[in-house]
């Protein structure tokens, strides 16, 4: 019998150099080697804030999806939800890093000599009121029907946004969007299939998915309300005005609802400010308290 | 059931084992061989799935976005390992559903290491380094195990586990270059996990009733004590590189044996944890049961939907 197959020597490789890993093992800077020059005529503060709010949407929903890990209805869904969470986390990292590179003044100040990178300073050392995500992504997960309905809404909206954002004058945003739209089309497909399955499954699953959709619907119009930062970014040719994707998103959802035999909810928009302005639900503060606890306990820590 | 053909089939089976060839799902095999494999592979699959919990508990508190991505990808891999292993087990004529029920009602076990709590972020690194390291020592020989589907699943599992071990070691190395507090966290975590990691190889050889038969069948390739020794010998130089102390005053190089001498794990603790009295046994099963029960309506919906699709019908 051959003494040493490749797969038997894995343990012995621990202390040798990293050369046999194709990309090394060091992925510290998500934008390493990328030209982050701000395009002519674009206000860096606008570009940074625009990247930040899109990054926050992804960061917060990624966190909520991560909460499913080890709790999903079956192993296949556990793996799929983790995949989606990882995609969104990847988008968030790039967008937060892009925001910091465009306008370093948006990054919270940390003690002198802190090794915390900018993306983490933004994720872990901002208060809830400084987060610009839409409220839809921050509300607690609820059951699998709620998670499915939220993901269907979010991915449908963000895919339409990213399709246009791929034409951004900012080369970094354009590249992030080009990569992201492939991911988002899978997210929409995953959520759409489950939405259909639940709506056409059992009486219980149909009741749950209708309740979930109805419960989320009041937060849905907020995603299409143009915030001044989005308007300015769109005018500068780097961003997309969310109002401009409303008709397309509506048409896609109408097809899913028709296939699932689900009526479009009628609920009125929820009052109470907008996440883009930092006006959030109670849930975000609690979520961030947990997310940020270790990082904040060690502002000089290396991870 | 005994048939006229059985002696000839048994001879063929023994000859295959003797040649170190693989037994495949459609080959004849003794019922006891099948039962041993189901027990071992199911226990392994359950360990992957239960093993998502201790580290998964830190996902929502991971202190950097990079670490969060690394940890989520890692825990996701464990779910994937659970899937390959349940699939390998299904080739022996059992279903994932039956195996899950046996896990939840305590008729099948999972690795006792997951009944220890994770109390700091350093535990994520220590679990990668020591727990995944010990798992690799146990599992690498299984790539050559006599049952084909299990051996092939293990090749993939081991490659991923080796990556997990590297990420654990790398996290600890990074933390050791950080603050004094972080270095203390690492040492404290290693102190808690060293002995339970040694217990992962199972009881001493003279107290391991199944070892001899499993070795004769080529299911197991090394004894518990041999594997434990190998693990200690590999871990000592790594601990030196890290700059941590392994919490065993008897640990010393033995020139004559060309191996490390080391102390005896607390086998009373080992048996207490195996028998259900570990720090987290009840919590781990309760978590799994809750996830399983909460997901029942979703699985029922998927089954109903698939049945309707198969009928070609639409609407509820």
């Amino acid at each position: 019998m051959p003494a040493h197959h490749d797969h038997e020597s894995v343990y012995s490789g621990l202390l040798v150099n990293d050369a046999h890993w194709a990309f090394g093992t060091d992925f510290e800077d998500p934008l390493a080697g990328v030209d982050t020059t701000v395009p002519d005529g674009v206000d860096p503060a606008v570009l940074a804030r625009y990247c930040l709010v899109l990054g926050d949407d992804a960061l917060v929903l990624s966190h909520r999806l991560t909460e499913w890990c080890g709790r999903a209805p079956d192993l296949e869904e556990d793996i799929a939800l983790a995949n989606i969470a990882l995609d969104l986390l990847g988008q968030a990292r790039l967008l937060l890093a892009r925001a910091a590179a465009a306008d370093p003044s948006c990054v919270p100040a940390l003690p002198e000599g802190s090794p915390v990178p900018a993306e983490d300073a933004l994720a872990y050392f901002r208060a809830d009121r400084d987060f610009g995500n839409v409220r839809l992504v921050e509300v607690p997960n609820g059951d699998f029907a709620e998670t499915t309905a939220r993901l269907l809404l979010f991915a449908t909206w963000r895919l339409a946004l990213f399709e246009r954002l791929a034409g951004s004058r900012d080369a970094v945003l354009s590249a992030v969007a080009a990569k992201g739209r492939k991911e988002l089309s899978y997210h929409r497909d995953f959520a759409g299939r489950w939405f259909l399955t639940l709506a056409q499954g059992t009486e219980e699953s149909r009741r749950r998915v209708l309740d979930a959709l109805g419960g989320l619907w009041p937060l849905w119009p907020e995603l299409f309300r143009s915030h001044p930062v989005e308007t300015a970014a769109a005018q500068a040719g780097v961003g997309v005005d969310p109002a401009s994707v409303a008709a397309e998103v509506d048409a896609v959802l109408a097809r899913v609802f028709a296939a699932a035999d689900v009526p479009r909810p009628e609920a009125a928009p929820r009052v109470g400010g907008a996440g883009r302005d930092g006006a959030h639900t109670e849930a975000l503060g609690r979520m961030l308290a947990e997310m940020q606890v270790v990082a904040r306990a060690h502002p000089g820590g290396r991870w | 059931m005994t048939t006229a053909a059985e002696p000839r089939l048994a001879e063929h089976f023994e000859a295959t084992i003797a040649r170190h060839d693989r037994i495949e799902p459609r080959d004849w095999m003794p019922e006891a061989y099948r039962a041993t494999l189901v027990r071992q592979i199911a226990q392994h699959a359950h360990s992957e799935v239960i093993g998502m919990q201790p580290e998964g508990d830190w996902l929502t508190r991971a202190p950097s976005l990079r670490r969060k991505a690394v940890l989520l990808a890692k825990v996701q891999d464990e779910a994937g390992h659970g899937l390959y292993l349940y699939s390998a087990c299904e080739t022996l004529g059992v279903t994932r559903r039956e195996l899950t029920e046996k896990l939840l009602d305590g008729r099948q076990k999972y690795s006792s290491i997951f009944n220890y709590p994770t109390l700091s972020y350093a535990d994520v690194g220590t679990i990668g380094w020591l727990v995944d390291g010990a798992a690799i020592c146990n599992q690498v020989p299984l790539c050559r195990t006599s049952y084909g589907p299990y051996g092939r699943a293990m090749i993939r599992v081991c490659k991923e586990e080796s990556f997990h071990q590297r990420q654990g070691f790398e996290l600890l190395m990074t933390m050791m270059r950080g603050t004094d507090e972080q270095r203390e966290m690492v040492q404290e975590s290693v102190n808690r996990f060293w002995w339970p990691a040694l217990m992962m190889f199972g009881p001493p050889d003279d107290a391991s009733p199944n070892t001899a038969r499993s070795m004769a069948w080529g299911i197991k390739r090394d004894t518990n004590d041999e594997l434990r020794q190998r693990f200690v010998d590999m871990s000592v130089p790594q601990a030196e590189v890290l700059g941590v102390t392994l919490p065993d005053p008897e640990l010393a190089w033995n020139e004559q044996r060309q191996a490390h001498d080391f102390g005896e794990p607390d086998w009373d603790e080992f048996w207490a944890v195996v028998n259900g009295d570990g720090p987290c046994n009840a919590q781990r099963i309760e978590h799994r049961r809750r996830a399983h029960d909460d997901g029942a309506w979703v699985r029922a919906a998927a089954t109903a939907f698939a049945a309707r699709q198969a009928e070609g019908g639409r609407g509820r």
Side-chain angles (χ1 to χ4, degrees):
Chain A
M1 163 181 5
H4 284 292
H5 294 285
D6 172 47
H7 55 260
E8 292 186 41
S9 57
V10 286
Y11 196 99
S12 59
L14 190 62
L15 297 179
V16 302
N17 65 50
D18 285 344
H20 66 292
W21 299 102
F23 300 99
T25 54
D26 209 14
F27 305 99
E28 304 282 342
D29 176 8
L31 287 180
V34 173
D35 179 5
T36 54
T37 312
V38 175
D40 284 345
V42 176
D43 178 353
V46 166
L47 177 60
R49 184 66 193 170
Y50 182 67
C51 290
L52 206 48
V53 301
L54 289 183
D56 287 346
D57 287 341
L59 180 64
V60 172
L61 187 57
S62 167
H63 189 92
R64 287 300 188 204
L65 292 169
T66 298
E67 291 173 345
W68 273 103
C69 186
R71 292 180 172 81
D74 224 332
L75 283 173
E76 287 83 350
E77 280 61 57
D78 218 296
I79 292 168
L81 291 173
N83 252 343
I84 296 168
L86 279 165
D87 285 345
L88 292 174
L89 181 54
Q91 292 179 14
R93 292 186 65 191
L94 291 166
L95 288 163
L96 265 49
R98 205 302 164 249
D103 178 13
S105 75
C106 75
V107 181
L110 286 171
E112 183 75 20
S114 166
V116 174
E119 55 168 323
D120 291 333
L122 284 166
Y124 293 96
F125 293 88
R126 276 182 303 155
D128 51 356
R129 66 184 171 279
D130 297 324
F131 274 71
N133 58 280
V134 293
R135 289 176 298 170
L136 178 77
V137 296
E138 73 199 31
V139 292
N141 281 326
D143 63 9
F144 186 71
E146 254 182 279
T147 291
T148 299
R150 167 159 64 184
L151 185 60
L152 173 66
L153 295 177
F154 180 78
T156 304
W157 169 76
R158 192 166 170 98
L159 177 58
L161 218 54
F162 272 38
E163 295 281 3
R164 286 164 178 74
L165 197 58
S168 171
R169 282 179 61 219
D170 180 52
V172 181
L173 258 182
S174 158
V176 170
K179 175 173 181 284
R181 67 183 176 187
K182 292 178 214 152
E183 297 166 344
L184 292 161
S185 69
Y186 160 70
H187 305 172
R188 190 181 72 173
D189 183 61
F190 173 85
R193 282 165 189 267
W194 269 111
F195 188 85
L196 184 63
T197 301
L198 298 180
Q200 300 286 317
T202 61
E203 292 296 331
E204 182 182 6
S205 67
R206 182 172 176 82
R207 174 182 59 73
R208 283 180 186 255
V209 86
L210 291 177
D211 285 353
L213 188 66
L216 292 167
W217 203 254
L219 292 172
W220 181 231
E222 185 183 324
L223 277 68
F224 302 94
R225 215 182 290 156
S226 312
H227 185 272
V229 163
E230 291 165 317
T231 311
Q235 279 165 359
V238 293
V240 178
D241 182 345
S244 70
V245 301
E248 179 190 324
V249 171
D250 214 45
V252 174
L253 278 188
R255 286 210 302 277
V256 178
F257 290 167
D261 189 21
V262 164
R264 194 174 191 279
E266 299 283 339
R270 187 182 296 181
V271 296
R276 291 277 187 255
D277 288 320
H280 293 283
T281 63
E282 291 173 342
L284 184 66
R286 199 170 295 119
M287 190 199 102
L288 293 179
E290 183 177 352
M291 185 180 111
Q292 298 176 336
V293 64
V294 180
R296 287 198 179 211
H298 302 275
R302 280 178 202 280
W303 304 101
Chain B
M1 189 174 62
T2 310
T3 67
E6 196 159 299
R8 206 165 43 79
L9 291 168
E11 218 169 274
H12 181 75
F13 172 84
E14 295 296 345
T16 308
I17 297 282
R19 282 199 311 275
H20 300 295
D21 254 353
R22 304 274 207 199
I23 305 295
E24 295 299 338
R26 289 178 187 177
D27 293 345
W28 183 90
M29 61 188 84
E31 276 313 305
Y33 175 86
R34 185 187 299 273
T36 301
L37 276 171
V38 168
R39 181 178 61 85
Q40 182 171 333
I41 303 173
Q43 176 165 334
H44 191 166
H46 298 329
S47 300
E48 299 284 357
V49 173
I50 295 286
M52 295 167 71
Q53 290 180 41
E55 288 174 279
D57 201 40
W58 285 92
L59 279 168
T60 52
R61 291 172 288 169
S64 77
L65 298 182
R66 173 171 171 265
R67 286 295 168 198
K68 191 173 184 171
V70 167
L71 183 57
L72 182 53
K74 190 206 156 173
V75 179
Q76 183 194 35
D77 279 355
E78 311 293 358
H81 296 173
L83 263 187
Y84 318 149
L85 290 163
Y86 282 127
S87 302
C89 211
E90 286 186 318
T91 65
L92 292 159
V94 292
T95 64
R96 204 205 297 183
R97 186 181 187 153
E98 289 169 59
L99 298 174
T100 302
E101 279 163 13
K102 285 184 175 170
L103 168 68
L104 294 179
D105 66 22
R107 280 178 292 160
Q108 286 178 343
K109 294 193 184 305
Y110 56 88
S111 175
S112 279
I113 191 74
F114 302 120
N115 291 318
Y116 288 88
T118 47
L119 302 176
S120 80
Y121 204 78
D123 288 4
V124 170
T126 309
I127 288 177
W129 175 41
L130 293 178
V131 173
D132 293 335
I136 294 168
C137 283
N138 267 328
Q139 291 170 3
V140 160
L142 293 176
C143 297
R144 291 185 284 121
T145 195
S146 59
Y147 188 59
Y150 189 28
R152 288 186 289 271
M154 289 316 301
I155 291 173
R156 182 154 177 188
V157 169
C158 283
K159 284 183 196 286
E160 295 181 356
E161 290 294 351
S162 82
F163 200 80
H164 296 173
Q165 198 209 13
R166 289 179 65 88
Q167 70 79 34
F169 190 77
E170 190 259 345
L171 169 58
L172 297 182
M173 279 294 262
T174 307
M175 289 181 70
M176 291 301 283
R177 287 197 299 264
T179 62
D180 288 344
E181 255 180 314
Q182 287 185 296
R183 278 184 284 278
E184 276 168 35
M185 276 168 81
V186 172
Q187 182 64 58
E188 188 275 336
S189 173
V190 169
N191 291 349
R192 274 185 289 114
F193 274 98
W194 174 249
W195 292 109
L198 289 192
M199 295 178 198
M200 285 176 68
F201 299 94
D205 291 347
D206 53 19
S208 178
N210 299 319
T211 294
R213 195 171 64 174
S214 286
M215 287 184 74
W217 276 336
I219 294 174
K220 213 167 153 166
R221 296 276 177 189
D222 305 89
T223 74
N224 297 351
D225 287 333
E226 284 165 2
L227 291 168
R228 193 167 7 250
Q229 179 73 55
R230 202 176 296 165
F231 174 71
V232 171
D233 290 338
M234 287 194 287
S235 300
V236 169
Q238 293 166 2
E240 279 166 19
V241 171
L242 267 181
V244 295
T245 309
L246 297 173
D248 178 1
E250 294 176 49
L251 188 65
W253 176 249
N254 182 326
E255 189 61 39
Q256 204 182 351
R257 289 202 304 122
Q258 287 294 298
H260 290 87
D261 293 335
F262 55 97
E264 198 67 29
D266 179 349
W267 295 114
D268 291 339
E269 176 182 313
F270 172 79
W271 288 114
V273 179
V274 167
N275 291 322
D277 299 323
C280 301
N281 297 54
Q283 176 187 331
R284 299 292 184 234
I285 286 294
E286 180 49 32
H287 177 114
R288 188 92 295 276
R289 191 194 314 280
R290 200 178 325 116
H292 187 72
D293 291 350
D294 287 352
W297 69 270
V298 179
R299 296 189 300 273
T303 306
F305 182 75
R308 200 164 290 127
Q309 295 293 105
E311 285 166 17
R314 281 199 52 191
R316 277 157 303 122

